[in-house]
Amino acid sequence: MTIVESTSSTTNKTLRFPLNAWYVAAWDREVVRKPLAVRVANQPLALYRTEDGEVVALADACWHRLAPLSMGKVVGKDGIQCPYHGIVYNSAGRCVSMPAQEVLNPSATVPSFPAVERYRFIWVWLGDPLLADPDKIPDMHQMDDPKWAGDGETIDLDCNYQLVLDNLMDLTHEEFIHTSSIGGKNISSSDFIVTHGANSVTLSRWMIDIEPVPFMRGQMNAKFPGFEGNVDRWQIIRYEFPSTICIDVGVAKTGTGAPEGDRSQGINGYVMNTISPSTDTTSRYFWAWMRNYLLDSQKLTTQIKDGIAGVFREDTAMLNAQQVAIDAMPSYEFYNLNIDAGGMWIRRLIERALEAEGAPWQPRT
Amino acid sequence: MAATNVEVWQHASVVAIDQVAIDIQRIVLEPQLPKRAEPGSHVDLKVVIDGEQDKRSYSIVESSDDGTRLTITVFKAPASRGGSVYMHGLAVGDRLEITQPLQNFPLRIGAKRYVLLAGGIGVTALVNMARTLKDARADYTLVYAGRSREAMAYLEPLREEHGENLVVHVDDEDTSLQVPALLAGLDVHTELYMCGPIRLMDAVRRQWTDSGLSYPNLRYETFGNSGWFDPEEFVVRIPRLGVEATIPTGRSMLEALESAGVDMMFDCRKGECGLCEVRVLELDGTIDHRDVFYSERQQNAATKMCCCVSRVIRTVPADGRERPAGHSLPVVTIDVS
C-alpha cells in the first residue's frame, strides 16, 4: 500500500515561485534598444534588444560593483555598457571590454537568462537553462491570432502572486466586488465543474437563461444592435503552470445552443491574465481582453480596455488590502471553501513544482 | 544560472578514495550542507602544509543530483606548494573544511558549438561540462591532451561516455596537441572552455587572438598553480621598506611577503584580478609569469608582476640547454602599493 502524504495548504497563505518556469517580464512593446529594469521572481533584470531585434535578459548588476546595467546604454551590435566604469558585456553576459587593462578577467560575466518573445509578451526563464523549453510557455495564442482583437495593460500589485491566481480562479467574487459591471447575482449560486491535469486546472461554469450583466449587455448590443432578453452565460477558466489564467467568457441569446457548442448567437471574449511574481509580496499582473467579433473596431478595443481596467482596479484594492491583513496577522490561518477548489489545485501544482526544485513553499520572512 | 560566490564553509567527510591515474587520486566527499554543483564549479578547501592552514581550489568532477556526494580529483604535483601532498595523505573517514560549490567558470547554454580543451589534470574542470553538453544534445568536442595515457585521469570512462566526441592527444605517442590546427577549424560561433597548464592556456590565448576569434568566446579557469617553468627558490627585495625575503619553491611571493610583515593588497590569489601587482625595479633572472591578467606585451616588458602566482627563475640560456647548477639565487627588486 502506498502511503500518500497529506499536503494540506491551509497554512500556506502565499507561495514562493518555481524557477523552472516561464514568466512574463514585460510587454513586447516595452522592450526596446534602451535597457529596461524589471524584477521577476526576486531577480532584477536588464532587458533590451540587440540591433537585430533579439531580446536579451541579463542580471541587472555589473560583475564589478553591481551597478545596475539597466542604467547603462547599449553599445555595438548586441552589447550593453555599465554606466559606472564602462565595462561592456555582450548579449550572452560575457565581458568584452574592461577599463585600463589589456586582458579581460576570465571570470567577468553576468548571468544571462533565456528570453522568448511570444503572444505580445517577453517571457523569461530564471531556473535551470537546460530545461528552458519554449514549448512550455502557456498558451495565450488569442493575443496575436488574427481571429482575435483587443488590448490590455499591466497592474502593479502589492501582493503575492498566488492571491491573484486565487482571485481569477474563483469568479464568485465578481458578484460582490464587480457588482455594477460584470458581477450579477447568478454567479455564486451556479454550479461549476473543476478538472485538473499535470500543469493545468480548468473551472467551468454555465448560467442558463439569466439577465445579462451590464458589460455583457453592452457587448451584445455592439454585435446585435437592439438585442434584448435573457442570455446563457459561460465562464471557462483555464490555469496553466506557473501563473497564466485564460478565461473563455461570453453570453449568447438563451436557447440558441451555446452550451451545446453553437455560439453564433452570442459574443465571446478571452480574458488573458498572466501574473509574474516580482518579490514575495509584490507582483506584476499583465492582462488583456480579446474578442472575436467586430475585429476592426479600435473604438471597441479601447472602450473594453478602459472598462475592464476600471473593473480590475476594484480587484487591486482588495488584493493589496488582503496582503496587508496577511502580514499584519501572521498567526491567522486561511480557511477554504468549496468555491476554492480551482485555486487549491493551483496551489497543489505549484507546491509540487517547488518541492521538485527543493524550494520551501512559503515566502521568506 | 546565477553565479554565486558566497563562501559557505562546512565540514565534509571523505567517503571514498581511489587512484585513477599515475599520481592522481579521486576523492569523494560527503558535505554537511549539500548543494548541487553546476558544471564548471569548484570547492575551496582547507589544507595543512607544514602545520599551517592554507586554502586550495579543486574542480568538482561529479556531483550527485542532490549534492550529497561531490567528487574531486587531485594530482600530486612534483613541484606542488604542498596542497596536493596533503590531499594525497587523506584517508576514508577524514573530515575536511570545504565550501559549498563556488562558480567562476559557468557553462553557457545555447552556443552553436563547443570545444572543451583539457590539459592534464585540467580535465577535472571539464568532465561535468562535457556530460551536461551531452545530455543537452549540444554540438561539442572534448579535446584531452596529456603526457602519457597512464597519467591521464578518466580516459577510458570519457571514451565510453563521449565516443567520437572525445579527441585525445598524447605526447609520448607523438600525437601532441597542435594549437593552430585546433583553432583553425573554429568559427565565431564556437565557444571554447579550457583548463590546463599555463603553457597550454597561454598558447591558446595567443593563437585565439591571432586567429581573429571572438575573445569572449574563450573561457578558461586557472587556479594559478602552474607555470612555464618549474618553481625555483628566489630572493625578493623591497628597498623602500628594507625588506628582503627568500621565497622557497613551495610558497608564493605574496605569502612570503605577508609573512615578512609587508602589508600586501590582493584579491583573487590566482592571477586574474591584478590587485597584487608589484613594480619590478631590478631583475637578476627571468620572470615566470603565471597570471592571466597581463597581455603578452606586458609580460614581456617585465616591469610588473602578479606576486600571487608569478615567480622568478634563473635566466634561461638562449640556446635552451640545461642551466648550470649551483648558480646563485635569482633576485627581483620590487616596490609595492
Side-chain angles (χ1 to χ4, degrees):
Chain A
M1 194 182 85
T2 314
I3 296 167
V4 179
E5 206 176 307
S6 157
T7 53
S8 169
S9 304
T10 306
T11 52
N12 300 313
K13 285 165 276 194
T14 58
L15 291 185
R16 296 207 63 183
F17 13 87
L19 294 181
N20 289 326
W22 292 102
Y23 294 105
V24 167
W27 289 85
D28 55 2
R29 59 177 184 259
E30 295 179 290
V31 180
V32 293
R33 287 285 278 156
K34 184 178 156 48
L36 173 73
V38 297
R39 191 167 174 135
V40 180
N42 279 330
Q43 172 67 53
L45 297 172
L47 302 178
Y48 66 95
R49 286 182 195 267
T50 66
E51 230 170 55
D52 297 335
E54 295 290 320
V55 175
V56 181
L58 300 179
D60 195 12
C62 179
W63 168 85
H64 172 221
R65 284 292 195 264
L66 308 189
L69 294 176
S70 58
M71 290 169 70
K73 59 179 186 204
V74 290
V75 291
K77 209 171 137 51
D78 74 335
I80 186 168
Q81 183 172 43
C82 174
Y84 203 175
H85 301 96
I87 294 178
V88 179
Y89 302 91
N90 67 13
S91 56
R94 300 276 168 78
C95 177
V96 294
S97 161
M98 210 167 246
Q101 61 187 66
E102 295 186 13
V103 179
L104 303 178
N105 187 310
S107 57
T109 55
V110 294
S112 156
F113 300 95
V116 172
E117 184 165 5
R118 190 174 289 182
Y119 309 136
R120 293 166 61 183
F121 293 121
I122 304 304
W123 301 80
V124 294
W125 180 282
L126 303 173
D128 182 346
L130 286 168
L131 305 176
D133 178 356
D135 287 348
K136 294 178 189 159
I137 292 175
D139 177 16
M140 297 186 84
H141 74 272
Q142 291 87 353
M143 292 298 294
D144 56 4
D145 185 322
K147 295 192 197 73
W148 296 82
D151 205 357
E153 291 182 347
T154 314
I155 304 171
D156 285 298
L157 288 164
D158 290 322
C159 72
N160 181 264
Y161 77 119
Q162 179 59 42
L163 300 183
V164 192
L165 299 176
D166 288 342
N167 168 287
L168 289 164
M169 214 59 197
D170 166 35
L171 296 183
T172 55
H173 78 271
E174 290 183 347
E175 189 173 329
F176 306 98
I177 285 193
H178 310 308
T179 319
S180 62
S181 54
I182 58 172
K185 60 183 184 308
N186 313 89
I187 301 176
S188 69
S189 57
S190 61
D191 205 7
F192 60 89
I193 296 169
V194 180
T195 56
H196 81 277
N199 291 307
S200 66
V201 180
T202 304
L203 189 149
S204 316
R205 175 185 277 122
W206 281 87
M207 291 154 275
I208 305 299
D209 196 10
I210 61 164
E211 199 184 319
V213 294
F215 176 80
M216 290 300 183
R217 184 188 297 124
Q219 296 307 304
M220 281 298 278
N221 280 318
K223 185 171 170 187
F224 304 102
F227 167 77
E228 281 179 29
N230 277 3
V231 293
D232 296 342
R233 183 182 187 185
W234 67 89
Q235 294 174 327
I236 301 165
I237 311 169
R238 186 169 188 279
Y239 159 84
E240 201 174 336
F241 180 83
S243 52
T244 292
I245 293 178
C246 299
I247 314 178
D248 174 7
V249 297
V251 296
K253 298 170 187 171
T254 190
T256 58
E260 291 75 37
D262 178 6
R263 294 177 173 186
S264 63
Q265 297 306 301
I267 60 100
N268 185 192
Y270 254 85
V271 198
M272 316 299 293
N273 310 279
T274 187
I275 300 96
S276 296
S278 310
T279 66
D280 294 327
T281 56
T282 60
S283 42
R284 297 206 89 196
Y285 172 15
F286 301 86
W287 64 267
W289 210 94
M290 307 301 293
R291 66 178 190 280
N292 65 357
Y293 52 93
L294 303 173
L295 296 180
D296 296 334
S297 174
Q298 180 58 43
K299 183 179 125 197
L300 196 54
T301 295
T302 306
Q303 275 177 348
I304 293 175
K305 189 181 83 165
D306 291 350
I308 297 294
V311 172
F312 285 179
R313 272 193 288 277
E314 297 168 334
D315 291 293
T316 305
M318 176 53 72
L319 291 166
N320 291 349
Q322 194 186 359
Q323 183 71 51
V324 169
I326 289 169
D327 293 341
M329 293 165 274
S331 66
Y332 285 28
E333 301 288 17
F334 268 14
Y335 291 94
N336 303 306
L337 299 173
N338 168 264
I339 55 165
D340 296 315
M344 292 298 279
W345 272 112
I346 294 178
R347 288 164 177 270
R348 170 99 39 103
L349 297 185
I350 290 176
E351 284 168 359
R352 275 186 190 149
L354 288 168
E355 214 165 311
E357 288 180 15
W361 293 349
Q362 284 179 284
R364 292 173 298 218
T365 47
Chain B
M1 198 191 58
T4 172
N5 282 309
V6 180
E7 287 184 14
V8 178
W9 286 91
Q10 59 179 336
H11 284 282
S13 307
V14 177
V15 293
I17 296 178
D18 51 301
Q19 183 152 347
V20 288
I22 294 173
D23 288 333
I24 298 180
Q25 277 186 356
R26 172 176 172 275
I27 301 172
V28 183
L29 300 170
E30 225 170 59
Q32 184 187 17
L33 305 170
K35 187 183 153 203
R36 186 193 155 94
E38 291 170 5
S41 55
H42 67 275
V43 288
D44 283 356
L45 54 79
K46 288 187 181 155
V47 298
V48 180
I49 301 166
D50 300 332
E52 282 190 41
Q53 213 168 51
D54 207 342
K55 201 167 84 173
R56 290 289 182 274
S57 301
Y58 293 101
S59 298
I60 296 167
V61 177
E62 197 172 352
S63 161
S64 58
D65 278 347
D66 55 6
T68 51
R69 283 187 165 224
L70 301 178
T71 303
I72 60 171
T73 305
V74 182
F75 170 52
K76 190 160 79 180
S80 150
R81 289 176 285 164
S84 64
V85 174
Y86 171 83
M87 293 301 292
H88 273 240
L90 290 173
V92 171
D94 283 352
R95 270 158 73 82
L96 288 168
E97 272 186 82
I98 75 170
T99 61
Q100 283 190 332
L102 302 170
Q103 179 61 283
N104 265 333
F105 192 37
L107 175 67
R108 184 179 80 94
I109 301 302
K112 289 219 174 90
R113 182 168 156 63
Y114 297 87
V115 173
L116 308 180
L117 173 58
I121 194 63
V123 75
T124 53
L126 300 166
V127 170
N128 205 356
M129 274 193 193
R131 182 166 301 152
T132 303
L133 290 175
K134 185 189 177 196
D135 291 347
R137 298 198 174 81
D139 178 1
Y140 72 100
T141 306
L142 172 59
V143 179
Y144 186 7
R147 286 175 289 122
S148 70
R149 286 183 186 263
E150 298 70 41
M152 293 168 74
Y154 302 118
L155 202 48
E156 260 325 293
L158 288 172
R159 166 78 65 204
E160 278 167 33
E161 188 173 356
H162 300 289
E164 289 180 354
N165 289 333
L166 175 72
V167 175
V168 177
H169 294 279
V170 186
D171 291 346
D172 71 3
E173 295 175 6
D174 286 332
T175 58
S176 294
L177 175 70
Q178 304 300 321
V179 172
L182 174 71
L183 300 196
L186 307 188
D187 64 17
V188 293
H189 302 297
T190 304
E191 295 190 359
L192 189 145
Y193 292 74
M194 66 172 173
C195 188
I198 197 86
R199 263 174 200 264
L200 173 67
M201 303 227 283
D202 279 353
V204 172
R205 293 197 303 137
R206 283 163 199 178
Q207 187 71 35
W208 190 273
T209 313
D210 294 347
S211 307
L213 292 163
S214 164
Y215 199 76
N217 284 350
L218 175 61
R219 313 302 300 175
Y220 49 93
E221 182 166 60
T222 162
F223 296 134
N225 48 14
S226 72
W228 280 78
F229 306 99
D230 285 341
E232 295 175 25
E233 201 170 54
F234 65 102
V235 174
V236 178
R237 292 191 184 124
I238 310 177
R240 184 171 61 84
L241 304 177
V243 168
E244 176 169 319
T246 300
I247 320 294
T249 55
R251 295 200 87 189
S252 74
M253 184 166 150
L254 175 59
E255 289 164 345
L257 291 174
E258 284 173 325
S259 298
V262 183
D263 198 2
M264 296 295 293
M265 177 52 65
F266 62 88
D267 184 27
C268 73
R269 297 184 90 107
K270 56 185 180 181
E272 289 183 0
C273 73
L275 270 174
C276 68
E277 171 176 278
V278 299
R279 279 186 298 125
V280 176
L281 306 177
E282 236 183 283
L283 180 65
D284 175 14
T286 300
I287 299 176
D288 181 12
H289 288 288
R290 296 170 165 223
D291 62 274
V292 291
F293 173 75
Y294 295 119
S295 66
E296 188 179 6
R297 183 194 69 77
Q298 289 170 315
Q299 290 187 345
N300 289 340
T303 54
K304 294 170 180 176
M305 60 191 285
C306 287
C307 69
C308 68
V309 290
S310 297
R311 309 187 62 87
V312 179
I313 55 165
R314 281 167 291 182
T315 298
V316 185
D319 58 10
R321 277 180 302 151
E322 284 287 297
R323 293 185 294 263
H327 196 264
S328 60
L329 293 181
V331 181
V332 61
T333 307
I334 63 167
D335 204 356
V336 297
S337 66

